[in-house]
Amino acid sequence: MSLLTIDGIWKNFHGRGVLRGIDLEVRPHEVVSLIGASGSGKSTLLRCVNLLETVDDGVILLDGEDITDPRVNVDDVRKRLGIVFQAFNLFPHMTVLDNVTLAPRQVHRVAKGEAEEQAHGLLARFGLADKARAYPDQLSGGQQQRVAIIRALATQPRLMLLDEVTSALDPELVLEVLGVIKELKESGMTMILTTHEMGFCRDISDTVCFLDGGVLLEKGPAEQIFTEPENPRTREFLRSVLKSGRL
Ligand SMILES: Nc1ncnc2c1ncn2[C@@H]1O[C@H](COP(=O)(O)OP(=O)(O)OP(=O)(O)O)[C@@H](O)[C@H]1O
Ligand SMILES: [Mg+2]
């Protein structure tokens, strides 16, 4: 069964269709990338899955449950999702350890000792064992983003949503964050990510979706989308990306 089913999603802003009939199935352990020009609707789609936006039509099923039903418990849905955005949004007045243990303790009611033990384990796994007591402003951008990913992982989500998690980083810091995402894939995490890093996208994605003006124009295995895209607009997009040196 699909972990996530997006079925005929429409989203309007001020009467303008930003998502126009999106269908997408995500299987357990699958890594799905959303690519497309700025404004094509990638972030909006992730925000609909996370219930930060309500949809105007269509349904989204998470583990078979309709999460677009107005009666759904939003907190309960978000408990099953890990979300990381471009801006890291760590709490500046809290240590790395407190940032990572906050949600497990407060939302999932995990005991302090257990939450901290788990947090130390995650920090060690991603090379940040010595940063537990540091504050966010004592870390590099790449380290902060890794903490943000670890924080999202700490609640053991069913699905990770990653929106442009490397785009605020200097090129040399991008690699360390991409390394973390790669390791997540190897551990079997299901992910939907948006990225402008096409080389990485090709490397990590099982499935790539090309969005254009709120429509999912083309979807397929990464290799196929990057080597023989069928839709002329996909070809045009990849050509322009290639020209700008981002592939
Ligand atoms: N809250 C909002 N109110 C009005 N319009 C919005 C809102 N959020 C997004 N939009 C519009 O919806 C369209 C899709 O935006 P979205 O952020 O999903 O694009 P994107 O594909 O993520 O772009 P980028 O690659 O630049 O991140 C854009 O035209 C944007 O201006
Ligand atoms: Mg976006």
Side-chain angles (χ1 to χ4, degrees):
M1 187 173 80
S2 298
L3 196 155
L4 186 80
T5 303
I6 295 174
D7 186 5
I9 289 301
W10 285 77
K11 177 68 186 173
N12 300 310
F13 284 121
H14 314 299
R16 197 172 64 88
V18 166
L19 298 177
R20 301 187 290 146
I22 303 272
D23 296 323
L24 178 65
E25 301 240 349
V26 181
R27 289 171 279 114
H29 314 300
E30 188 175 6
V31 177
V32 176
S33 289
L34 309 177
I35 62 171
S38 183
S40 56
K42 306 179 297 292
S43 297
T44 304
L45 184 57
L46 292 186
R47 290 170 60 82
C48 287
V49 173
N50 182 29
L51 306 182
L52 284 168
E53 303 287 355
T54 55
V55 299
D56 293 310
D57 200 6
V59 292
I60 302 177
L61 307 178
L62 177 62
D63 284 321
E65 181 196 358
D66 179 2
I67 60 171
T68 45
D69 185 324
R71 290 163 301 184
V72 85
N73 182 329
V74 173
D75 292 334
D76 188 58
V77 172
R78 293 218 184 106
K79 273 185 194 172
R80 288 178 268 158
L81 302 171
I83 302 122
V84 186
F85 294 111
Q86 172 181 353
F88 331 117
N89 299 318
L90 295 174
F91 295 108
H93 60 288
M94 290 169 60
T95 63
V96 165
L97 189 65
D98 289 341
N99 264 285
V100 174
T101 56
L102 186 69
R105 291 183 58 196
Q106 301 216 328
V107 183
H108 294 257
R109 302 281 163 210
V110 176
K112 183 168 190 247
E114 190 187 332
E116 292 194 346
E117 195 184 312
Q118 201 211 0
H120 283 299
L122 282 169
L123 289 167
R125 178 171 150 204
F126 294 109
L128 292 167
D130 57 335
K131 300 294 183 192
R133 302 285 163 196
Y135 286 87
D137 65 2
Q138 298 167 323
L139 304 177
S140 73
Q143 289 168 339
Q144 287 185 47
Q145 189 60 296
R146 275 146 72 200
V147 172
I149 293 172
I150 289 168
R151 182 176 59 172
L153 281 176
T155 52
Q156 300 174 338
R158 290 281 290 150
L159 172 68
M160 288 281 277
L161 307 173
L162 306 171
D163 194 2
E164 303 283 356
V165 292
T166 59
S167 56
L169 300 174
D170 291 336
E172 70 269 26
L173 299 179
V174 167
L175 284 179
E176 62 182 56
V177 173
L178 296 184
V180 167
I181 299 173
K182 228 174 192 170
E183 132 111 58
L184 282 184
K185 179 190 166 90
E186 279 154 22
S187 74
M189 179 60 74
T190 312
M191 293 185 269
I192 309 178
L193 51 101
T194 76
T195 184
H196 290 289
E197 306 279 340
M198 291 300 145
F200 170 70
C201 175
R202 181 174 182 166
D203 194 26
I204 198 167
S205 309
D206 299 306
T207 305
V208 175
C209 302
F210 173 65
L211 270 73
D212 185 59
V215 176
L216 206 166
L217 268 193
E218 184 162 1
K219 184 180 80 169
E223 249 343 276
Q224 187 228 308
I225 297 287
F226 282 102
T227 54
E228 39 183 354
E230 282 168 11
N231 193 293
R233 294 195 73 98
T234 317
R235 279 203 290 272
E236 191 188 334
F237 172 76
L238 290 172
R239 215 172 15 237
S240 68
V241 170
L242 193 66
K243 235 190 242 163
S244 69
R246 298 184 84 159
L247 194 68

